[in-house]
Amino acid sequence: MKFFAFHLMPWDRLPDDFAEKYDTAWTWLPNQMFDPEHGGQLYNNYLDQLVLADQLGFDGVCVNEHHQNAYGTMPSPNLMASILARQTKNCRIAVVGNALPFYDPPTRCAEEFAMIDCISGGRLIAGLVVGGGPEYYSFSKNPTFAREMYKEAFDLILRAWTEPGPFEHYGEHWKLKYVNPWPRPIQQPHPPIWIPGAGSRETIQFVAQRRFAYMGIPYFHMDFFQRNFDMFRDECEKCDYTADPEQLGWLLPIYTAETDEQAWAEYEPHLWYFVEKLLKGLVVFPPGYTSARSIAGIQKGLKQFMSTCKTREDIEAGGYAIVGSPDTVRQKLSENIKKLGVGNLLGLFQLGTLPHDLTCKNMKLFAEKVMPGLREELNAAPTMQQAAAT
Amino acid sequence: MKTENKTLSVAGKKTQLTILGQGPPLLYLHSAGGETEPIPFHEKLAEHYTVYLPAHPGFALSEGLDQIRDIHDLAWHYVDLLNELNLKNVPTVSYSLGAWTATEVKLLRPELIGPLVMIAAAGLHVDGAPMQELFIDSFDKLRELLFFDPKSQTAVDYFPSDVNDPRILMWLRAREATARVGWNPYLHDPKLAGHLHRIEGPVQIIWGRQDKLIPLAHGEYYAKHLPNAKLTVLEECGHMVPYEKTEEAAKIALDFLAS
């Protein structure tokens, strides 16, 4: 069982009247709201939190890429990962991921990931993603080409890592006479690859067939994760192998405090800031981003999305976030990890406006009072899926 | 009214074609909204013409969007279609995305398109008159954007009511096919403006005064730079000219084509 600390690096100063005045925290939210002095402070706090994760014994830290929004102010996760490559010593650095259609040419991603892998001594996990729906507006990138650009870029990057250069790449979207990226990654044949997904069968099949790892897109109801992870295991069986739990990752907000009541009291305002403000406008499917049928299906699936939550009870019932005393958090996580059959837990320990001191306290309590017991328990006992498979 | 539904193969692309009315042929090129089933505006034209109403690739039952990479591929598709139908110098009524397409076809093969009616045409970037965002999810906001009177019954009925509306899949397909050619550059071809002086045939431009999607300045630009064009502006009318001003727009088009 592996434990990761995931960071979105959110903007924490949206105005009180945001809900009435703005339709979205994405793409069109005026950037005058971003105060650079405060932004600098936040970046440094957030990096300190991820360095702390390494010191506390987390297996890894995760950063990701978003553009022109308040939800995650990390347009370049590779910048953050390169700092972490120096400032952390032991943990994995998962960049989940680079949105490939926005790297021109995509060999830039192969180069930058190889740099991070070299600097960190082979600790990179390479996330290769399509990019979120809103980003196709932010970059004026044609979403009807998103999937084929992603596929072309993906194959090119893997080739660039595994095939001696220089070689020619003449694809539909990129024409490169000399592909020959320096440096090459330490991890051979290439760094581990993680691919996030929101449940489309095409993505799940692709990840299963290539034996990569599938990270469930967060903020959905527990049943939604269960269905997708079960589908992933089925697809692996169809490829004649049994999924390793480490091929699956479950990402969710976690908050631990001394008691259940204290945890909710400390956490709730920050959680609702996240749900009511930062999630607003995240789920956008520009035309052709995925098939018309999938878009229609996902729109219906949004009934199982965190933004429908209005109360603490809604959050707890759907397992959208795990909040409570160390015992409560451990017991709930244990139960769900076994049920979902995942080998990677990706915790969001900072969320919305949650301040630096509470975030650090949350992580310390988790690392000291939740993680060791969970590790022991989960490494000893096979998950239900493993038990069923053997 | 006499209506015939056909499926053509146009250079290998399955293409839906509706033919209605009687008289000499007239080509209608539809908008991003995908009016591929006859609407009252088509029926007005069909009182005098045999109206050929093809669905662009990716719209309705037409396929082959994978072979369309930009507006020029769409224009070449119509070169093929007109050859397939053996139509030359055909009077053409075109609307929004369709009007942009018609202009591009006219540049590629001037002899195929005859007198041209362009209604609220896309195709240009005009400084100081930006086109608003069409690719938004809220039908309420789209009504505000497209109709002069967003509360009118026409505006209410125009869009699917919600995600359970059976029309939603066709709507999403139409959006995708429009985005394919119109996402970036946004609903225009940067080279088109420089070509307008080469379009010599007669053109009737029709525009709604209150068009918020494609402001009237675009119509004025076309009228100024096309050598043989006339602009008629309709009052109290948004982008949805054939729906909002059915009678008036049809009359202007028919009078122009008859002259």
Side-chain angles (χ1 to χ4, degrees):
Chain A
M1 188 68 208
K2 298 281 197 297
F3 297 89
F4 287 78
F6 195 112
H7 222 304
L8 296 167
M9 306 206 174
W11 185 248
D12 66 350
R13 285 190 182 172
L14 289 178
D16 292 339
D17 61 357
F18 171 83
E20 299 93 75
K21 280 181 80 172
Y22 299 96
D23 294 332
T24 176
W26 293 76
T27 311
W28 302 281
L29 186 68
N31 66 356
Q32 288 304 304
M33 284 184 195
F34 186 90
D35 166 4
E37 294 286 343
H38 182 61
Q41 184 62 52
L42 281 182
Y43 280 135
N44 283 290
N45 287 347
Y46 293 160
L47 283 165
D48 286 347
Q49 291 160 19
L50 293 176
V51 172
L52 176 66
D54 182 45
Q55 292 160 356
L56 290 170
F58 279 82
D59 297 288
V61 291
C62 308
V63 288
N64 74 348
E65 174 175 339
H66 287 298
H67 299 268
Q68 300 196 171
N69 76 102
Y71 163 92
T73 60
M74 204 162 14
S76 172
N78 298 357
L79 287 182
M80 291 310 184
S82 64
I83 294 170
L84 293 165
R86 291 275 298 171
Q87 296 202 332
T88 63
K89 298 299 167 218
N90 300 308
C91 69
R92 285 271 183 187
I93 300 162
V95 182
V96 280
N98 281 184
L100 301 187
F102 309 142
Y103 288 74
D104 191 13
T107 41
R108 285 192 66 92
C109 168
E111 290 171 339
E112 290 179 17
F113 272 175
M115 287 175 72
I116 296 166
D117 202 47
C118 287
I119 296 168
S120 67
R123 290 187 285 133
L124 176 77
I125 292 172
L128 304 175
V129 308
V130 179
E135 266 113 29
Y136 284 81
Y137 290 88
S138 295
F139 276 164
S140 293
K141 199 55 110 175
N142 193 324
T144 74
F145 294 120
R147 302 288 151 175
E148 59 175 62
M149 290 180 89
Y150 174 72
K151 196 174 175 311
E152 183 181 335
F154 188 99
D155 290 342
L156 173 60
I157 288 166
L158 255 71
R159 240 187 115 191
W161 279 339
T162 54
E163 199 172 302
F167 62 81
E168 246 185 18
H169 171 85
Y170 272 65
E172 182 65 37
H173 292 278
W174 292 280
K175 278 96 180 147
L176 305 169
K177 187 140 176 58
Y178 307 111
V179 178
N180 190 28
W182 287 63
R184 296 190 305 117
I186 286 181
Q187 297 180 87
Q188 289 294 318
H190 56 73
I193 289 174
W194 283 9
I195 296 172
S200 94
R201 185 174 285 277
E202 292 82 358
T203 304
I204 287 175
Q205 280 171 340
F206 174 73
V207 181
Q209 281 160 9
R210 308 280 287 260
R211 299 195 181 215
F212 299 137
Y214 182 77
M215 299 298 126
I217 296 264
Y219 323 131
F220 282 99
H221 193 282
M222 198 60 72
D223 295 346
F224 189 85
F225 285 113
Q226 188 75 56
R227 190 168 63 235
N228 295 338
F229 294 160
D230 287 345
M231 197 197 300
F232 181 80
R233 279 181 286 265
D234 287 346
E235 291 298 331
C236 291
E237 292 299 334
K238 283 185 201 160
C239 300
D240 293 324
Y241 73 99
T242 297
D244 186 320
E246 291 207 7
Q247 277 179 278
L248 286 169
W250 174 36
L251 167 55
L252 84 165
I254 298 171
Y255 191 76
T256 318
E258 288 71 2
T259 65
D260 287 350
E261 280 324 302
Q262 190 182 337
W264 277 101
E266 285 173 358
Y267 194 52
E268 232 181 317
H270 310 294
L271 176 68
W272 293 121
Y273 174 95
F274 174 79
V275 172
E276 289 163 8
K277 295 183 177 172
L278 296 180
L279 283 186
K280 202 170 177 185
L282 163 66
V283 186
V284 166
F285 296 97
Y289 176 72
T290 178
S291 70
R293 199 166 289 279
S294 297
I295 293 179
I298 294 168
Q299 294 289 0
K300 289 178 191 172
L302 288 179
K303 286 185 210 113
Q304 290 186 318
F305 196 67
M306 193 175 189
S307 52
T308 60
C309 293
K310 297 279 174 266
T311 63
R312 169 179 163 177
E313 287 69 34
D314 295 339
I315 296 282
E316 293 199 285
Y320 292 101
I322 304 283
V323 182
S325 69
D327 282 346
T328 301
V329 169
R330 180 183 155 176
Q331 178 254 319
K332 286 190 176 181
L333 284 175
S334 162
E335 197 179 296
N336 285 305
I337 287 168
K338 286 182 201 160
K339 220 166 74 181
L340 295 173
V342 296
N344 298 291
L345 178 72
L346 282 48
L348 272 169
F349 294 93
Q350 193 281 335
L351 197 73
T353 42
L354 191 71
H356 186 56
D357 56 341
L358 288 181
T359 304
C360 294
K361 178 167 82 92
N362 178 25
M363 291 170 66
K364 281 178 191 155
L365 266 178
F366 184 86
E368 284 158 18
K369 302 211 163 145
V370 180
M371 203 156 67
L374 269 183
R375 231 189 249 290
E376 200 175 317
E377 177 191 348
L378 294 164
N379 288 344
T383 65
M384 276 160 61
Q385 274 72 24
Q386 281 174 317
T390 48
Chain B
M1 180 161 288
K2 191 182 154 204
T3 305
E4 190 186 351
N5 293 305
K6 287 180 123 175
T7 305
L8 304 178
S9 174
V10 178
K13 294 194 276 299
K14 185 183 154 194
T15 301
Q16 171 182 316
L17 174 67
T18 303
I19 303 168
L20 70 158
Q22 274 175 311
L26 180 150
L27 175 68
Y28 180 92
L29 294 183
H30 67 79
S31 73
E35 64 283 19
T36 57
E37 300 292 325
I39 57 171
F41 181 73
H42 297 140
E43 284 162 6
K44 290 275 162 206
L45 302 175
E47 287 171 10
H48 302 268
Y49 292 91
T50 302
V51 177
Y52 288 79
L53 179 56
H56 307 325
F59 281 83
L61 300 177
S62 287
E63 294 173 0
L65 189 63
D66 56 322
Q67 295 164 61
I68 304 293
R69 318 291 295 184
D70 59 25
I71 192 70
H72 303 110
D73 291 339
L74 184 56
W76 283 114
H77 169 76
Y78 279 105
V79 170
D80 293 340
L81 181 131
L82 290 169
N83 284 332
E84 180 78 27
L85 295 174
N86 211 12
L87 290 173
K88 273 200 173 56
N89 198 30
V90 63
T92 301
V93 176
S94 60
Y95 170 36
S96 193
L97 169 65
W100 175 18
T101 310
T103 316
E104 301 276 2
V105 177
K106 185 95 179 141
L107 281 170
L108 294 175
R109 291 287 187 275
E111 72 281 8
L112 293 182
I113 305 268
L116 174 62
V117 178
M118 298 170 66
I119 304 169
L124 299 176
H125 172 88
V126 177
D127 281 340
M131 290 181 275
Q132 299 295 305
E133 180 64 56
L134 178 63
F135 299 109
I136 52 177
D137 289 330
S138 159
F139 291 131
D140 286 341
K141 293 224 157 89
L142 280 169
R143 270 183 207 97
E144 296 276 341
L145 172 66
L146 296 172
F147 286 89
F148 173 72
D149 178 7
K151 298 209 159 43
S152 67
Q153 199 56 45
T154 315
V156 172
D157 294 341
Y158 181 77
F159 297 101
S161 49
D162 59 35
V163 292
N164 296 312
D165 191 309
R167 293 177 292 168
I168 196 80
L169 265 182
M170 285 301 171
W171 170 258
L172 289 169
R173 272 170 54 76
R175 249 165 64 97
E176 178 175 350
T178 304
R180 189 70 156 191
V181 299
W183 187 272
N184 183 15
Y186 181 62
L187 298 178
H188 76 285
D189 169 4
K191 295 203 166 176
L192 181 59
H195 282 303
L196 293 180
H197 70 278
R198 302 192 175 98
I199 296 180
E200 288 161 2
V203 178
Q204 168 71 56
I205 302 164
I206 307 174
W207 224 275
R209 170 88 60 198
Q210 286 83 15
D211 191 332
K212 282 184 270 192
L213 178 68
I214 309 180
L216 176 57
H218 292 237
E220 291 165 347
Y221 191 101
Y222 272 120
K224 189 174 165 197
H225 292 87
L226 286 166
N228 189 8
K230 176 171 178 261
L231 169 66
T232 306
V233 180
L234 298 172
E235 303 298 330
E236 299 197 339
C237 180
H239 183 69
M240 304 301 281
V241 178
Y243 295 86
E244 296 181 278
K245 296 286 172 187
T246 308
E247 304 277 338
E248 295 90 326
K251 184 169 186 321
I252 294 163
L254 289 167
D255 288 351
F256 163 73
L257 294 176
S259 66

